[in-house]
Amino acid sequence: MTQVGRFIVFEGVEGAGKTTQIRLTAAYLQNQVNVSVQVTREPGGTKLGQSLRQLLLHDSPMNDRTELLLFAADRAEHVQTVLQPALDQNTIVLCDRYTDSTLAYQHYGRGIERQVIEQLNTIATGGLTSDLTFWLDLDVSTGLGRSQKNISGDRIERADVDFHQRVQAGFAALAQQFPDRIIPIDATQTVQQIQTEIQFHLAERLGLGG
Ligand code: Z5A
């Protein structure tokens, strides 16, 4: 097949299974569909982004708008130095979190005006949107329970449960608002059932495999 670059994002609350499904999807696309794949994430998909990730998740408390600007800075660097160059090389990019996370966490979760976040997303992305976004739909308590990290938790994971519930409701609202782009997947299923569903949509929506 002639490969064209595709930008595929995985979203969901903590412990929803994004890392697990990205790993399986990358192996499937490389080994069975025979396309080149790049796996990346936000925050932290660049060298600068790794420092921003440390500040965002593990260092001192910060104002909500400061947090928003740091996520935007991470994204601007990521789009320009990793995502767009990979897509220009016709690579399939699998990304752990993107702009919907900012709407879910900073708008629905923190309460920052949507318009502000959309403007910043436009500046940071230069208009790059995903071709397909898989939203791994899992209730907050199951996700936090699954996450190994919740024993101590990073700065955002330690936010109260109400915050994470607002984030989860935010993802549900976004999936309703953008049904052509966001595919909800029931993340209470087994790892293999979820992967089968993802492979079905990759074939149906993007012509990848099947
Ligand atoms: N954030 C933000 O606020 N604004 C933004 O714009 C962006 C991000 C981009 C990044 O966290 C934080 O940044 C995040 C949002 C915020 N907030 N928090 N906290 P991260 O990248 O460090 O971590 P994460 O994205 O929250 O993911 P995670 O905790 O690593 O979970 P995951 O990748 O979704 O799940 P996993 O590692 O694949 O699986 C978790 C465990 O469950 C593991 O033991 C698996 O073996 C198990 N698992 C996976 N699937 C299943 C199924 N189907 N059944 C049973 N068990 C399973």
Side-chain angles (χ1 to χ4, degrees), residues 21-90:
Q21 293 303 329
I22 287 173
R23 183 172 43 77
L24 292 172
T25 305
Y28 165 72
L29 289 172
Q30 278 163 338
N31 302 332
Q32 296 189 44
V33 185
N34 202 22
V35 290
S36 66
V37 174
Q38 178 157 353
V39 171
T40 187
R41 69 173 176 179
E42 293 193 359
T46 64
K47 190 160 187 295
L48 174 67
Q50 284 166 23
S51 303
L52 293 171
R53 182 182 174 91
Q54 174 68 26
L55 282 170
L56 277 161
L57 301 185
H58 303 296
D59 287 342
S60 31
M62 63 183 75
N63 183 278
D64 289 352
R65 283 176 187 254
T66 309
E67 177 187 80
L68 171 65
L69 289 167
L70 290 178
F71 279 119
D74 171 77
R75 179 160 305 131
E77 186 73 9
H78 193 214
V79 169
Q80 292 210 23
T81 67
V82 174
L83 297 179
Q84 196 60 63
L87 293 167
D88 290 344
Q89 295 287 318
N90 293 334

Side-chain angles (χ1 to χ4, degrees), residues 55-151:
L55 282 170
L56 277 161
L57 301 185
H58 303 296
D59 287 342
S60 31
M62 63 183 75
N63 183 278
D64 289 352
R65 283 176 187 254
T66 309
E67 177 187 80
L68 171 65
L69 289 167
L70 290 178
F71 279 119
D74 171 77
R75 179 160 305 131
E77 186 73 9
H78 193 214
V79 169
Q80 292 210 23
T81 67
V82 174
L83 297 179
Q84 196 60 63
L87 293 167
D88 290 344
Q89 295 287 318
N90 293 334
T91 300
I92 309 295
V93 177
L94 305 182
C95 188
D96 192 337
R97 300 192 180 280
Y98 193 56
T99 49
D100 292 318
S101 273
T102 321
L103 282 168
Y105 283 83
Q106 277 66 52
H107 170 59
Y108 289 99
R110 300 280 193 227
I112 299 176
E113 305 91 301
R114 183 169 183 145
Q115 197 192 1
V116 169
I117 292 174
E118 287 176 340
Q119 281 175 343
L120 262 182
N121 275 342
T122 302
I123 293 167
T125 64
L128 178 68
T129 55
S130 72
D131 292 297
L132 209 54
T133 294
F134 291 110
W135 168 44
L136 300 182
D137 175 9
L138 189 69
D139 64 277
V140 167
S141 55
T142 308
L144 289 174
R146 273 188 199 169
S147 174
Q148 298 292 319
K149 295 181 293 183
N150 78 331
I151 296 159

